[in-house]
Amino acid sequence: MAKGLLMTYALWAVGGPVGLHHLYLGRDTHALLWMLTLGGGGLGWLWEFWKLPSFVAQANRVQSWRQRPEEERPPLSLLRFASQMVVGVYFGLVALVSLSSMANFYIVGLPLAVGLGVLLVAAVGNQTSDFKNTLGAAFLTSPVFYGRAIAILPISLAASITAQKHRRYKASAGSETLSVRLYRVGLAYLAFTGPLVYSTMCNTAATINYVAETLGSFLTWFSFFPLLGRLVESVLLLPCRVWWLLVGDPGFNSSQFQEWEKLYEFVNSFQDEKRQLARQVLGVPEGATSEEIHQSYRDLVKVWHPDHNRHRTEEAQRHFLEIQAAYEVLSQPKKPRASWR
């Protein structure tokens, strides 16, 4: 059945951020992506206003592109590559919040989450990529940055490059009923949101700490690029500033702004607590120099390296990872405390 442009625009206006128009056009992967990201943070949904005619035309000639020669490759798209990177990082951050307490998370859970995020974007529209090679690149990259939140970036980069290298057009497939398509999309949506909801409902305090730690780690990635870091902070606070523009400046006593101020201060205080715990792990006082921190790190690594403690390998590995994490925290320059405004 031919798809109508008017119906597509109506669904885009009513339920665009959750992908209703993509479900109507048979773009289930795109619909799932929009469900998990709320229309690409709203920006992707607005940008699609000009793309809907081409989406409808593509849906109406679906048989033609499904019968392309297998050796023909889609053109390289920098927008798709950037989207793969962003969604891969997003999936990794969500996994850090909801799954980081699981055993072998940095070896299994994190690369799997990032790789699936990259593959989700790779499968949007009439394209797809190689499942095994993309996930393989993610799993091979993860041990290099084991135990570090910054591992999300290189894992996403490696998986995105691999997905682009193995990009291809989707093979021909038979039509499916709407109920089967909704069932598949629903299962994928529950697989993504289920662990996060469970963590929030059953372990609220720990989840709040994970969110603050993840957000703080995300911001520290930009510590060497102050301008870029301030830009990221501005994006994170964009919803509050949009509200300010819509209702005017309600003053410093407004409850809405007080809540944002509490969140900002909480993240800052959590980072201070992380540095204090890191100093305790390395046994250095507050105000210790970089040389003192590095020397303490080297001494403790020699003591607790697993190769030197084969009679207590598990305990040594735990201490070794704690020492590495503490050194990474103290190696980052401390950002000056500033108001979110």
Side-chain angles (χ1 to χ4, degrees):
M1 181 182 296
K3 306 299 181 181
L5 181 60
L6 184 60
M7 176 61 74
T8 303
Y9 270 107
L11 292 174
W12 173 86
V14 173
V18 293
L20 286 184
H21 56 301
H22 289 305
L23 285 174
Y24 169 70
L25 297 175
R27 301 167 61 92
D28 295 351
T29 305
H30 208 159
L32 177 62
L33 177 63
W34 257 214
M35 291 177 188
L36 299 179
T37 63
L38 290 180
L43 298 178
W45 168 63
L46 294 174
W47 177 75
E48 281 185 336
F49 181 85
W50 293 271
K51 300 288 292 183
L52 291 184
S54 63
F55 290 164
V56 173
Q58 187 182 79
N60 287 330
R61 62 172 186 268
V62 63
Q63 293 300 325
S64 64
W65 60 254
R66 278 182 176 168
Q67 295 175 1
R68 292 176 184 267
E70 292 186 2
E71 63 272 10
E72 185 178 350
R73 296 182 65 190
L76 181 64
S77 171
L78 293 179
L79 177 60
R80 187 180 290 263
F81 176 77
S83 301
Q84 289 172 349
M85 281 286 300
V86 171
V87 174
V89 169
Y90 168 63
F91 271 49
L93 292 175
V94 172
L96 273 177
V97 172
S98 57
L99 299 174
S100 57
S101 60
M102 67 177 286
N104 300 319
F105 168 75
Y106 286 96
I107 294 295
V108 179
L110 185 61
L112 179 62
V114 175
L116 290 177
V118 172
L119 284 169
L120 180 63
V121 179
V124 166
N126 60 352
Q127 297 185 27
T128 186
S129 188
D130 187 80
F131 184 85
K132 293 182 179 179
N133 282 301
T134 303
L135 285 185
F139 278 98
L140 288 175
T141 308
S142 61
V144 180
F145 302 89
Y146 181 81
R148 303 178 183 180
I150 199 173
I152 297 175
L153 281 176
I155 293 175
S156 183
L157 178 61
S160 298
I161 292 175
T162 305
Q164 284 292 312
K165 180 180 178 181
H166 295 276
R167 66 190 184 277
R168 65 177 187 271
Y169 287 107
K170 291 179 179 177
S172 177
S175 60
E176 296 178 327
T177 62
L178 180 61
S179 59
V180 172
R181 292 168 50 209
L182 290 177
Y183 177 73
R184 185 185 296 113
V185 172
L187 284 182
Y189 182 82
L190 288 176
F192 180 87
T193 58
L196 186 60
V197 172
Y198 176 83
S199 178
T200 303
M201 299 296 293
C202 300
N203 202 356
T204 306
T207 301
I208 293 175
N209 285 338
Y210 285 142
V211 170
E213 182 176 6
T214 301
L215 181 59
S217 299
F218 180 72
L219 292 178
T220 58
W221 293 349
F222 304 95
S223 58
F224 295 104
F225 307 96
L227 292 178
L228 185 57
R230 285 195 289 271
L231 175 61
V232 173
E233 289 184 4
S234 299
V235 171
L236 292 175
L237 294 170
L238 183 60
C240 179
R241 288 168 178 162
V242 170
W243 177 265
W244 187 8
L245 291 174
L246 291 176
V247 303
D249 187 359
F252 286 98
N253 294 324
S254 170
S255 59
Q256 294 93 343
F257 286 94
Q258 288 177 359
E259 292 302 318
W260 279 97
E261 185 74 27
K262 289 178 182 178
L263 175 62
Y264 192 81
E265 290 297 327
F266 177 71
V267 173
N268 275 333
S269 64
F270 191 82
Q271 294 305 305
D272 291 341
E273 183 179 349
K274 280 183 61 178
R275 296 185 71 88
Q276 182 179 356
L277 292 174
R279 286 193 295 268
Q280 292 178 4
V281 171
L282 295 184
V284 296
E286 185 174 1
T289 63
S290 300
E291 291 76 11
E292 293 172 338
I293 294 173
H294 184 67
Q295 184 60 45
S296 178
Y297 166 74
R298 292 186 61 183
D299 293 341
L300 289 173
V301 163
K302 292 178 181 178
V303 173
W304 289 107
H305 198 285
D307 292 343
H308 303 158
N309 296 270
R310 297 189 180 278
H311 59 290
R312 46 177 181 174
T313 305
E314 185 175 346
E315 180 184 3
Q317 185 176 10
R318 178 171 57 84
H319 283 291
F320 187 72
L321 292 176
E322 289 178 353
I323 294 166
Q324 284 187 318
Y327 181 69
E328 182 178 355
V329 170
L330 294 181
S331 297
Q332 298 290 340
K334 186 176 180 181
K335 296 177 63 179
R337 185 180 296 273
S339 172
W340 67 274
R341 295 170 70 91

